[in-house]
């Protein structure tokens, strides 16, 4: 696990922790504002965590070229994750359009 | 077989769609929205950093520690804004509810 220096590891770990904390606050946001549709955003943020785990696992094994498939997995989960983010945002936007009309 | 660079490039399009809808949703906390946009800075930094590592140093970006860490710091920064934005909205929402005046009496949408 020495391919990354300690500061670089800290930057990685804080990014991941922040993403999880953001999911938690979005869940709270949905409750507090009585807009449960926002929970879909927290759920849609999950695939990005899988992507992050793939990347961190690769770094943990010193960026081993034999484990390059982990980077492909990270990239694929980024596509999936951004797709779920987009779907969640579309759904939130649509629901708010409808509640504004009614 | 799709390679990682193609996949990373492809992932930008749904992200732009995400930004499009979040921007047009009136209830999105402003600071969180800034954070979501700031991720584009991370993307913009990572591309030349990756190219420089590959072409200039003949290495994967992940193996050039200072460059890897510096680029990744932009993702950490982006996430900080997202967290602070939603945290602030939760705190304000709770304070509003305690005053008794719920400022967002939206009918809970059927999901």
């Amino acid at each position: 696990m020495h391919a990354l220096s300690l500061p670089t590891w800290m930057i990685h770990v804080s990014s991941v922790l922040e993403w999880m904390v953001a999911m938690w606050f979005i869940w709270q946001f949905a409750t507090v504002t009585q807009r449960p549709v926002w929970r879909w955003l927290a759920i849609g943020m999950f695939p990005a965590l899988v992507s992050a785990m793939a990347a961190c696992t690769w770094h943990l094994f010193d960026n081993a070229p034999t484990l390059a498939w982990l980077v492909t997995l990270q990239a694929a989960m980024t596509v999936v994750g951004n797709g779920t983010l987009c779907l969640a945002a579309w759904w939130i936007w649509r629901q708010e359009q409808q509640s504004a009309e009614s | 077989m799709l390679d990682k660079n193609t996949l990373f490039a492809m992932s930008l399009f749904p992200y732009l769609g995400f930004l499009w809808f979040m921007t047009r949703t009136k209830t999105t906390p402003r600071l969180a929205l800034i954070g979501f946009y700031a991720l584009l800075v991370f993307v913009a930094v990572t591309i030349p950093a990756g190219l420089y590592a590959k072409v200039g140093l003949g290495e994967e970006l992940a193996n050039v520690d200072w460059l890897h860490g510096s680029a990744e710091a932009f993702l950490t920064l982006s996430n900080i804004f997202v967290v602070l934005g939603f945290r602030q909205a939760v705190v304000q929402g709770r304070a509003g509810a305690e005053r008794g005046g719920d400022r967002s009496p939206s009918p809970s949408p059927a999901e």
Side-chain angles (χ1 to χ4, degrees):
Chain A
M1 53 180 289
H2 301 291
L4 274 65
S5 66
L6 186 63
T8 303
W9 265 120
M10 282 168 65
I11 285 165
H12 277 70
V13 172
S14 28
S15 290
V16 179
L17 290 179
E18 284 164 17
W19 193 251
M20 292 197 260
V21 172
M23 288 167 79
W24 165 255
F25 275 125
I26 291 166
W27 197 268
Q28 299 299 310
F29 177 76
T31 309
V32 168
T33 60
Q34 296 171 23
R35 288 185 169 91
V37 69
W38 278 88
R39 284 187 189 143
W40 284 109
L41 181 59
I43 296 164
M45 286 165 80
F46 189 76
L49 274 184
V50 179
S51 168
M53 291 312 157
C56 287
T57 308
W58 188 56
H59 294 330
L60 205 59
F61 288 96
D62 288 328
N63 308 333
T66 49
L67 295 178
W69 60 271
L70 279 170
V71 186
T72 310
L73 175 67
Q74 179 205 357
M77 287 314 289
T78 306
V79 178
V80 172
N82 289 359
T84 53
L85 284 183
C86 188
L87 274 175
W90 166 74
W91 188 240
I92 292 165
W93 171 78
R94 207 191 122 199
Q95 293 284 316
E96 298 214 346
Q97 292 285 98
Q98 286 177 350
S99 65
E101 278 164 20
S102 61
Chain B
M1 175 69 187
L2 290 168
D3 80 318
K4 57 173 183 159
N5 291 326
T6 313
L7 288 167
F8 281 128
M10 271 170 60
S11 74
L12 194 57
F13 295 100
Y15 195 79
L16 293 175
F18 164 71
L19 288 177
W20 170 275
F21 289 117
M22 281 285 98
T23 309
R24 273 148 196 82
T25 301
K26 288 182 205 73
T27 47
T28 308
R30 193 174 160 73
L31 192 58
L33 191 64
I34 292 172
F36 287 136
Y37 273 91
L39 187 111
L40 295 178
V41 179
F42 164 69
V43 174
V45 167
T46 307
I47 294 167
L51 278 174
Y52 174 67
K54 203 84 192 169
V55 179
L57 308 171
E59 263 295 359
E60 290 281 335
L61 176 59
N63 290 325
V64 187
D65 190 68
W66 66 273
L67 203 54
H68 181 211
S70 312
E72 185 79 22
F74 286 94
L75 180 63
T76 312
L77 193 66
S78 155
N79 288 356
I80 285 174
F81 287 125
V82 175
V83 168
L84 290 180
F86 280 104
R87 198 195 86 94
Q88 196 179 42
V90 168
V91 170
Q92 281 173 357
R94 284 204 181 117
E98 272 169 25
R99 280 197 302 271
D102 185 3
R103 286 170 294 131
S104 57
S106 70
S108 64
E111 285 170 81

